[in-house]
Amino acid sequence: VSERAIFRGDALPETTDVECDVCIVGSGPGGATLAAKLTAKGRSVVMLEEGGHYTRKNFDMRESTAFAHLYQDLGNRSTDDLSIHILQGRSVGGGTTVNWTTSLRTPSRILQHWRERFGLEQMKPEVLEPHWAWAEERLSIKRWPEGAANRNNGLLWDGLGKLGYERAMNPRNVKNCANLGYCGMGCPIDAKQSTLVTLIPEAVERGLSLYTNCWVYRLEWSGRRVVAAHARVLDERNNNTSKTVTVRAKTFALCGGAINSPVLLLRSGLTANDNVGRRTFLHPVVSTMGFFSEPVDGHAGAPQSVHSHHFSVREKGKIGFFLETAPIHPMLAGSNVTWFGAAQQEMMTKFRYAQATIGLTIDGLLAEEEGATVRLRNRESRRLSIRYKFVPANWEAFREACREMARVQFAAGAQAVWSLHENPVEMKSERDLHLLDAAEWKPQRIRIFTAHQMGGCAMGSDAKTSVVDPALRYRGLDNLLVVDGSVFPTSVGVNPQLSVFGVASWAAENLI
Amino acid sequence: VLKKGLLGGALLFFGGSLVLALRPSRAKKVDASRFKVFDEREALVMSAIAATFIPPREGWPSVEEAEVVKTADEGLSRADESIRDEIKKLLALWENGLAQALFSGHLRPFSELGPSEREEVALGWKNSRLALRRTGFLALRTLVMASYYASEKTWPVIGYPGPPAGFYNPEATP
């Protein structure tokens, strides 16, 4: 791949002014898909990415390196009260550089909800199918073989089977995968087919100019048109430098992902009737630790290869959840195992014997849910405000997800199962599942995570409640589109990357 | 709950600004010249908190050996300025004798307390009725634990073998 069209911040002059047909902000699944498809149509395209250009020669398989360079806020992004820990990518490739490769199509029932509730007529399987198929082919998405599952996933598979719960192997976007288990730190052998090694190089070959370490802090607009995107060049420690990049384009596409795209709109004085940043959904995740007599070694092997959608659709009025696994590495485990002192150390001595099942709750489908609201703290600071409004249905879903996860872990042979409450619930057998009823189901009293960020620039047919129209155009500006997970009006109920690729491919071929 | 949290916050930070917080500690000194964010006193408090969260244990590297304070300092030096300020306020408050008196009955600074008293104070933060104190606890625990387990020296005691060799190649072409 030619490096000539990838410009690192430190190599840029004091001021850079460029003009093009399309300016794309962000290099994750949304931005990279647009870049690949629009350069193929012969458009001149410039992409701005706030993170750095890190490649396999930087992916040293250490959490401390990865969090510092490949994640938002050094891996410490969270809601203001620290109740939800938000893992979100930040480098060339965005989330695709660090995700755990699970690649599932948007469920039909979610698209149906979007059509009925938000008037999104084009969001139907027959429209999106060719785009999902394109991504599956381009990114080598194939179902991971059952025999290749590591023990962390194999135990979930076994437990689900014993209970007769629905289960399936995950399709993964990998080629010649060595089953290492370090997807979250960047793939050191380019086996993961992230946009970093697929669509970005392809677009660069066709003329894409990619500027990295460029933090877009404002869209300049006048009347009904965006005129320019203004970026500050960041140094390698992410501090602002005096250097600037200004891009003037016919069309602008925001592809920074949920949280980030809404924030750029807010910094630019664009609020869409106060809808920008609202209805941010996170698939809030709870986890239970199952302890086994034989080593599980959750750090080794493809990190996430099994799922169950047995509980995705529950009774009316309840929030559904799906089950998967999370890899177990020292920093993530150490900072999320609750309590402290000798008790925590004791727990950490069981590091090799722990199996981590996660329950991802499908938020945003109930009328009473508002999800998270993203706001600026002030114009100058890059620090954000993120507040999640929990409703009783969230807590009911967390509790039932923990109960079902523990049940599955005991069915798989766990000797004990612990919740991640600040005062952990310790269960010795299935007979102890009722102990969960008395636990504290409140913010900050149980660890909650998210690696899936959606919404905040909701698409919809109602101008009063949406940020972009059904053609992804920002309401009130004719040449600004949002093309990333932030346009989803609810969570998607599966790991979201393939949903983003699908919508972006549809947008590139029909809307720009 | 939110209202109570905010009110508590104002009270806590007022307490943090009192003279007691500035009284020099009699506890052992920490060399602050190695740090980018922490001053001597903050490094001392951070070290005391780290040793409370990760007490000495047979065969385990101490928080000094794992260079917890240095790693936390390096991380904070890359964080937003407002986050550094908050952590500094939090450390002052955690150390503050008057705030201790208010919440736990101890009048001495945190860094001068014995291990069981320190644990009691930490529990007070963890299980506080004030959302702001619980947030403070979570922030410091995350900072300490992530910094400790980032150190290779801690890996053998938990049985983590480290990344397998033969895959990462710093000389690889893109």
Side-chain angles (χ1 to χ4, degrees), chain A residues 3 55-62 64 69 74 76 80-82 178 180 182 188-189 236-237 299 329-331 334-335 337-342 344-346 348-349 351-352 377 381-383 387 422-423 443-445 447, chain B residues 2 36 52-57 60 74-75 77-80 82-83 86 119 122-123 126-127 131 134-135 137-139 141-142 145-146 149-150 152 155 157-164 167-174:
Chain A
E3 284 268 319
T55 66
R56 64 185 168 125
K57 71 170 190 281
N58 308 107
F59 299 153
D60 65 4
M61 308 166 84
R62 282 160 194 271
S64 52
H69 299 294
L74 312 167
N76 287 316
D80 293 0
D81 64 356
L82 306 187
L180 295 175
Y182 289 74
I189 56 169
E236 60 169 15
R237 296 175 64 84
H299 56 273
H329 290 274
M331 277 177 80
S335 50
V337 169
T338 52
W339 206 260
F340 63 86
Q344 214 243 18
Q345 288 170 312
E346 195 54 38
M348 287 301 285
T349 64
F351 178 84
R352 292 190 63 200
R377 296 216 183 202
S381 169
R382 266 182 278 149
R383 191 176 178 196
R387 291 172 184 231
E422 279 304 323
N423 298 310
Q444 303 177 317
R445 304 309 283 166
R447 300 301 295 148
Chain B
L2 187 65
K36 295 172 177 162
T52 307
F53 289 168
I54 304 164
R57 184 181 169 109
W60 282 46
E74 173 61 30
S77 78
R78 290 167 174 267
D80 192 87
S82 66
I83 292 173
E86 279 175 27
E119 193 177 320
L123 275 173
K126 173 170 122 66
N127 295 326
R134 296 197 303 270
T135 304
F137 170 81
L138 290 174
R141 185 181 61 192
T142 305
M145 295 301 176
Y149 291 106
E152 281 181 39
W155 297 352
V157 295
I158 59 170
Y160 175 61
F167 296 99
Y168 163 58
N169 173 11
E171 307 299 320
T173 49

Side-chain angles (χ1 to χ4, degrees), chain A residues 16 20 45 60 72 86 93 114-116 146 167 177 184 202 237 273 312 324 334 348 351 419 508:
Chain A
T16 302
C20 60
V45 182
D60 65 4
Q72 294 287 346
I86 300 170
W114 291 359
R115 292 195 302 277
E116 290 169 0
E146 198 185 315
R167 63 180 183 178
C177 172
E202 179 185 323
R237 296 175 64 84
N273 296 321
S312 288
E324 292 184 327
M348 287 301 285
F351 178 84
S419 72

Side-chain angles (χ1 to χ4, degrees), chain B residues 21-86:
Chain B
L22 304 172
R23 197 179 67 176
S25 169
R26 287 187 300 271
K28 65 176 175 175
K29 294 279 186 279
V30 170
D31 176 14
S33 60
R34 299 189 298 142
F35 303 120
K36 295 172 177 162
V37 175
F38 296 136
D39 65 22
E40 188 179 309
R41 175 128 186 141
E42 288 157 353
L44 180 79
V45 179
M46 190 67 202
S47 176
I49 292 170
T52 307
F53 289 168
I54 304 164
R57 184 181 169 109
E58 179 74 39
W60 282 46
S62 66
V63 295
E64 287 80 18
E65 285 162 338
E67 298 192 294
V68 169
V69 180
K70 190 164 176 256
T71 304
D73 180 77
E74 173 61 30
L76 285 171
S77 78
R78 290 167 174 267
D80 192 87
E81 195 180 345
S82 66
I83 292 173
R84 291 200 286 269
D85 288 347
E86 279 175 27

